[in-house]
């Protein structure tokens, strides 16, 4: 029984995810705490020289801010740091005094999840749909246009796309009011289940979503085109046709379902890319999500926030990957049965 | 004396052979028009950014009356917020970006190919370990990690930036290389080389490597594009304090000084974007030629 669980796909995938989170948490600890002249030392030195605080009380202040016991041996500090992480204690912000990092993270996280999540769903479904059409109408004019468009948008970095959108759509042609679209909500709008709120949230997220969609859709169009083309040559499709099944049913249940597997494996890479790219995109549009907070905390040298937000972004990416993998094992039964990666 | 002339003659013929090989490669590349155009674009950009600064001085005179001028004969790409010529900034601003981009690509390709082929050859625990490492690095959001590193360490050294980027962008190619080597290992000609006892170095460098060269070359160009993406992104955010003026810094200045929101600044903003985009498109297009150069089967078919 135990061996069966230990060898199962889910279990091994879970272990992998946990190890990755653990390694990243350790890396940030050693970067921030142990780097010679690193943030903790710099903070103490700054207090001593600038505010004439004694070294001892400066160390105490730093210890409480970073939630670390700086007198303890390093391994003990490390264990305590890990223990705090497990309890969700990420320390306190240096800039906004006394505000717990976990609170900051929680208030910005939904916006990033909302914009990235809807962008990925839109871009995956539209991309896969277009890819299928391209394969069905291959060598037609539509196919050539879409193939070229797809490879072009996938060659342009997402933030360059963002700059182009701001410069052309926002400033040169004045189609949208870029400055009014900043932030995650218009002033005075309260979160709630009503049309004004949802409409306003979509309005502010629309440009980031558009940018993420343009940045990822090309890959899915092109992989779906390729995989549909090869699926169309499979025997079971010929058999389905011979059985006289309706074209639409063949396209969805036989071709589409199988052809969508290769682009689906691209999903995990795209999740990491888009989450990472959100740092730049949110900065460009001044969209107040995690990427925006991360940028500000780096600028202000607010290390506890920086560390906390980075860890949360990493954890989110790993969780999303885990979810994508589990979904994939649902879609492709071979993975579950085979039990190998 | 005799040995010296003999040696120089040998070198002549080696140079000659190299030139002949180079010419035939060019001819092969020219067979694909799009690919060759891409190749020419990349070569032009690299030449202009590395050789151009010798001939074109960086325009550093402030001209208050010439702010955000549209292109003219004296300023082929217009002027910036201080009336300096944009073209000279573009010519001078490519070197740091391209250096880091290519250097990082060399680093990540080297790591990927080494770990991938080593894992596939040795197999067992080593292979499992490398694959785990690759999977792990792949799930790290790279840009935030680079940004955090830039915030903690002071990244004002080009080589450090290139090294960090290279250390993060290898997993995709590593997994692909591993799969390639695993399948090549089982091919008949590798089996026969093994049966003939030609030794591992021979098998690796004469039988397997030539079959992967094209694949690696193409992935190298893709690695250049992803590394450029990272460097420009970090400089755009102002997190890599590269002191020289470069394309990323130009974009950063346009953003932080609010030039983006002025309609007149369009030439100043579009110039670095065009330079970066042209280089990226050139590399992607060049791949079409590279596939033909490295795959003899495609050559005859064309």
């Amino acid at each position: 029984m135990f061996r069966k669980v230990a060898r199962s796909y889910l279990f091994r995938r879970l272990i992998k995810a946990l190890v990755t989170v653990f390694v990243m948490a350790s890396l940030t600890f050693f970067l921030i705490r142990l780097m010679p002249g690193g943030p903790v030392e710099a903070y103490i030195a700054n207090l001593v020289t600038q505010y004439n605080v004694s070294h001892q009380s400066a160390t105490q202040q730093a210890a409480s801010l970073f939630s670390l016991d700086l007198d303890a041996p390093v391994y003990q500090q490390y264990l305590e740091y890990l223990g705090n992480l497990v309890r969700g204690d990420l320390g306190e912000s240096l800039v906004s005094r006394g505000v717990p990092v976990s609170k900051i993270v929680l208030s910005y996280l939904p916006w990033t999840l909302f914009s990235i999540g809807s962008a990925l769903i839109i871009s995956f479904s539209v991309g896969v749909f277009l890819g299928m059409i391209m394969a069905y109408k291959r060598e037609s004019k539509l196919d050539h246009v879409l193939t070229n468009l797809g490879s072009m948008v996938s060659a342009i970095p997402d933030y360059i796309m963002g700059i182009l959108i701001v410069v052309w759509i926002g400033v040169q042609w004045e189609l949208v009011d870029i400055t009014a679209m900043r932030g995650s909500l218009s002033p005075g709008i309260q979160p709630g289940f009503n049309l004004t709120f949802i409409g306003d949230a979509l309005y502010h997220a629309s440009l980031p979503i558009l940018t993420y969609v343009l940045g990822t859709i090309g890959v899915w169009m092109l992989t779906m085109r390729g995989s549909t083309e090869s699926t169309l040559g499979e025997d079971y499709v010929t058999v389905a046709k011979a059985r006289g099944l309706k074209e639409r049913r063949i396209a969805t249940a036989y071709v589409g379902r199988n052809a969508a597997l290769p682009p689906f494996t691209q999903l995990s890479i795209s999740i990491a890319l888009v989450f990472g790219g959100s740092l730049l995109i949110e900065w460009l549009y001044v969209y107040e999500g995690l990427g925006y907070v991360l940028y500000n905390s780096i600028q202000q040298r607010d290390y506890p926030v920086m560390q906390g937000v980075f860890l949360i972004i990493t954890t989110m990416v790993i969780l999303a990957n885990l979810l994508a993998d589990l979904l994939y094992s649902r879609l492709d039964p071979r993975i579950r049965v085979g039990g190998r990666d | 004396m005799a040995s010296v002339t003999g040696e120089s003659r040998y070198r002549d013929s080696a140079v000659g052979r190299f030139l002949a090989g180079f010419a035939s490669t060019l001819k092969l590349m020219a067979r694909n028009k799009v690919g060759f155009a891409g190749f020419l674009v990349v070569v032009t950009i690299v030449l202009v950014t590395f050789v151009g600064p010798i001939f074109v001085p960086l325009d550093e005179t402030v001209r208050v009356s010439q702010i955000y001028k549209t292109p003219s004969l004296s300023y082929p790409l217009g002027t910036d917020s201080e009336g300096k010529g944009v073209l000279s900034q573009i010519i001078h601003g490519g070197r740091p970006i391209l250096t880091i981009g290519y250097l990082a690509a060399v680093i990540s390709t080297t790591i990927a190919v080494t770990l991938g082929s080593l894992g596939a050859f040795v197999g067992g625990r080593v292979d499992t370990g490398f694959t785990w490492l690759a999977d792990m690095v792949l799930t790290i959001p790279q840009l935030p990690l680079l940004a955090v590193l830039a915030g903690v360490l002071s990244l004002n050294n080009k080589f450090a930036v290139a090294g960090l980027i290279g250390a993060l962008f290898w997993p995709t190619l590593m997994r692909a290389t591993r799969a390639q080597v695993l399948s090549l290992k089982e091919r008949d000609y590798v089996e026969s080389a093994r049966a003939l006892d030609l030794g591992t170095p021979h098998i690796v460098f004469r039988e397997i490597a030539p079959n992967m060269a094209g694949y690696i070359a193409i992935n190298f160009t893709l690695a250049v594009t992803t590394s450029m993406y990272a460097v420009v992104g970090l400089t755009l955010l102002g997190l890599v304090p590269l002191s020289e003026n470069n394309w990323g810094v130009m974009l950063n200045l346009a953003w932080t000084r609010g030039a983006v929101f002025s309609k007149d600044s369009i030439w100043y903003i579009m110039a670095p974007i065009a330079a970066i985009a042209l280089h990226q498109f050139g590399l992607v297009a060049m791949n079409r030629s590279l596939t033909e150069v490295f795959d003899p089967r495609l050559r005859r078919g064309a």
Side-chain angles (χ1 to χ4, degrees):
Chain A
M1 172 63 190
F2 179 73
R3 286 193 64 178
K4 206 174 166 194
V5 171
R7 290 172 79 187
S8 78
Y9 178 71
L10 178 76
F11 182 77
R12 282 184 302 124
R13 208 44 208 77
L14 215 64
I15 293 287
K16 221 174 196 169
L18 280 176
V19 169
T20 313
V21 174
F22 169 73
V23 168
M24 290 322 288
S26 312
L27 183 78
T28 42
F29 172 81
F30 289 109
L31 259 181
I32 294 196
R33 173 65 194 97
L34 288 185
M35 194 60 69
V40 176
E41 267 181 36
Y43 184 76
I44 296 171
N46 183 41
L47 279 183
V48 172
T49 50
Q50 280 217 310
Y51 300 95
N52 251 338
V53 186
S54 75
H55 191 274
Q56 203 184 356
S57 68
T59 313
Q60 273 172 7
Q61 277 198 40
S64 80
L65 275 171
F66 289 86
S67 340
L68 286 172
D69 182 5
L70 292 176
D71 293 326
V74 172
Y75 78 91
Q76 213 170 324
Q77 286 183 39
Y78 175 57
L79 287 181
E80 204 181 315
Y81 161 82
L82 288 180
N84 284 341
L85 276 190
V86 172
R87 281 194 302 275
D89 178 3
L90 296 166
E92 286 173 3
S93 166
L94 293 183
V95 175
S96 351
R97 286 300 173 102
V99 181
V101 174
S102 50
K103 206 174 152 192
I104 298 178
V105 167
L106 279 182
S107 63
Y108 288 97
L109 176 66
W111 299 111
T112 300
L113 285 184
F114 166 63
S115 57
I116 288 181
S118 26
L120 282 177
I121 292 169
I122 294 171
S123 119
F124 185 78
S125 33
V126 175
V128 160
F129 180 69
L130 286 179
M132 243 182 116
I133 292 180
M134 280 151 73
Y136 265 92
K137 313 226 171 215
R138 61 181 166 275
E139 303 308 324
S140 69
K141 206 169 225 166
L142 181 77
D143 175 34
H144 285 298
V145 170
L146 285 179
T147 307
N148 282 325
L149 263 176
S151 43
M152 213 163 88
V153 288
S154 54
I156 303 179
D158 49 3
Y159 57 84
I160 296 282
M161 204 88 78
I163 296 178
L164 289 176
I165 289 176
V166 170
V167 167
W168 289 101
I169 298 183
V171 178
Q172 296 293 323
W173 301 328
E174 291 178 350
L175 294 178
V176 293
D177 187 353
I178 292 281
T179 28
M181 291 175 89
R182 288 179 166 179
S184 42
L185 278 180
S186 302
I189 300 272
Q190 289 300 319
F193 264 112
N194 51 56
L195 268 180
T196 19
F197 169 70
I198 295 168
D200 194 62
L202 274 175
Y203 173 67
H204 285 272
S206 57
L207 289 184
I209 291 178
L210 176 68
T211 315
Y212 296 135
V213 169
L214 287 177
T216 46
I217 199 166
V219 178
W220 285 320
M221 279 163 66
L222 299 180
T223 32
M224 185 63 182
R225 183 188 184 278
S227 66
T228 309
E229 222 181 315
S230 55
T231 314
L232 282 173
E234 294 278 354
D235 288 342
Y236 58 78
V237 176
T238 321
V239 171
K241 272 185 197 146
R243 278 165 63 205
L245 291 181
K246 284 214 180 77
E247 195 59 47
R248 179 174 292 247
R249 184 163 158 70
I250 298 177
T252 51
Y254 288 77
V255 179
R257 192 187 152 154
N258 287 299
L261 291 176
F264 201 88
T265 53
Q266 294 275 343
L267 198 59
S268 48
I269 295 170
S270 294
I271 291 170
L273 268 182
V274 171
F275 245 108
S278 71
L279 173 65
L280 272 154
I281 304 300
E282 290 182 1
W283 174 77
L284 277 180
Y285 293 116
V286 198
Y287 185 73
E288 288 163 340
L290 280 185
Y292 176 78
V293 183
L294 182 62
Y295 172 77
N296 279 342
S297 64
I298 293 171
Q299 282 293 315
Q300 299 166 334
R301 299 276 180 264
D302 194 344
Y303 296 102
V305 176
M306 188 166 118
Q307 172 187 339
V309 171
F310 175 69
L311 279 181
I312 293 298
I313 291 182
T314 312
T315 314
M316 283 297 137
V317 170
I318 291 166
L319 276 179
N321 267 317
L322 190 64
L323 200 72
D325 271 14
L326 294 183
L327 265 173
Y328 186 77
S329 72
R330 286 270 122 208
L331 290 175
D332 189 350
R334 282 170 301 184
I335 300 269
R336 263 175 294 158
V337 179
R340 287 215 48 94
D341 284 3
Chain B
M1 271 311 270
S3 73
V4 172
T5 39
E7 228 176 66
S8 76
R9 194 179 299 152
Y10 171 70
R11 248 171 62 200
D12 274 354
S13 74
V15 169
R17 247 186 297 159
F18 173 75
L19 283 179
F22 187 66
S24 71
T25 311
L26 274 187
K27 222 178 254 169
L28 280 174
M29 293 197 73
R31 293 184 73 147
N32 187 315
K33 295 233 168 56
V34 178
F36 196 63
F39 170 70
L40 288 182
V41 167
V42 173
V43 169
T44 314
I45 292 179
V46 170
L47 275 182
V48 165
T49 49
F50 281 84
V51 185
I54 302 170
F55 300 105
V56 184
L58 182 62
D59 184 2
E60 284 179 302
T61 5
V62 175
R63 300 178 195 84
V64 188
S65 59
Q66 304 282 327
I67 288 171
Y68 290 141
K69 287 282 175 213
T70 46
S72 60
L73 267 183
S74 39
Y75 307 110
L77 286 178
T79 57
D80 70 357
S81 61
E82 292 173 323
K84 300 173 187 166
V86 172
L87 180 64
S88 80
Q89 294 183 31
I90 290 291
I91 293 174
H92 283 259
R95 197 155 31 168
I97 297 280
L98 290 184
T99 311
I100 296 178
Y102 281 86
L103 200 62
V106 169
I107 295 171
S108 70
T109 311
T110 312
I111 299 177
V113 172
T114 314
L115 295 190
S117 43
L118 209 65
F121 255 107
V122 180
R125 290 248 167 97
V126 178
D127 189 29
T128 321
F130 287 164
T131 318
W132 259 70
L133 193 66
D135 283 351
M136 204 154 80
V137 177
L138 203 62
T139 43
I140 300 170
Q142 289 135 338
L143 211 56
L145 179 60
L146 283 171
V148 167
L149 287 172
V152 179
L153 318 161
S154 46
L155 291 180
N156 38 24
N157 180 331
K158 262 183 245 172
F159 300 101
V161 177
L164 278 178
I165 294 173
L168 282 178
F169 285 90
W170 55 268
T172 339
L173 178 57
M174 180 267 176
R175 294 210 291 197
T177 313
R178 178 178 167 270
Q180 278 259 354
V181 174
L182 278 180
S183 94
L184 285 173
K185 225 170 81 173
E186 307 300 324
R187 300 280 166 88
D188 287 343
Y189 56 82
V190 177
E191 288 277 302
S192 33
R194 205 173 278 149
L196 286 169
D197 202 17
L198 289 173
T200 315
H202 177 96
I203 295 174
V204 173
F205 292 109
R206 303 301 294 270
E207 309 290 344
I208 292 184
N211 280 296
M212 293 193 2
Y215 192 75
I216 294 170
I218 287 163
N219 275 284
F220 173 76
T221 63
L222 293 178
V224 176
T225 59
T226 40
S227 316
M228 293 256 301
Y229 164 87
V231 199
V232 176
L234 287 176
T235 32
L236 172 62
L237 286 172
L239 293 175
V240 181
L242 293 173
S243 44
E244 309 113 302
N245 185 48
N246 71 50
W247 299 340
V249 170
M250 286 175 79
L251 288 175
N252 173 267
L253 289 181
W255 219 265
T256 47
R257 291 185 184 166
V260 256
F261 299 106
S262 140
K263 270 196 179 177
D264 309 321
S265 66
I266 192 73
W267 285 91
Y268 176 69
I269 296 168
M270 287 310 287
I273 290 185
I276 295 163
L278 266 179
H279 182 258
Q280 305 278 78
F281 282 140
L283 279 177
V284 173
M286 194 172 97
N287 282 340
R288 298 200 190 176
S289 277
L290 285 181
T291 19
E292 285 196 29
V293 171
F294 284 106
D295 196 338
R297 276 167 302 187
L298 283 177
R299 246 179 262 165
R300 253 163 252 142

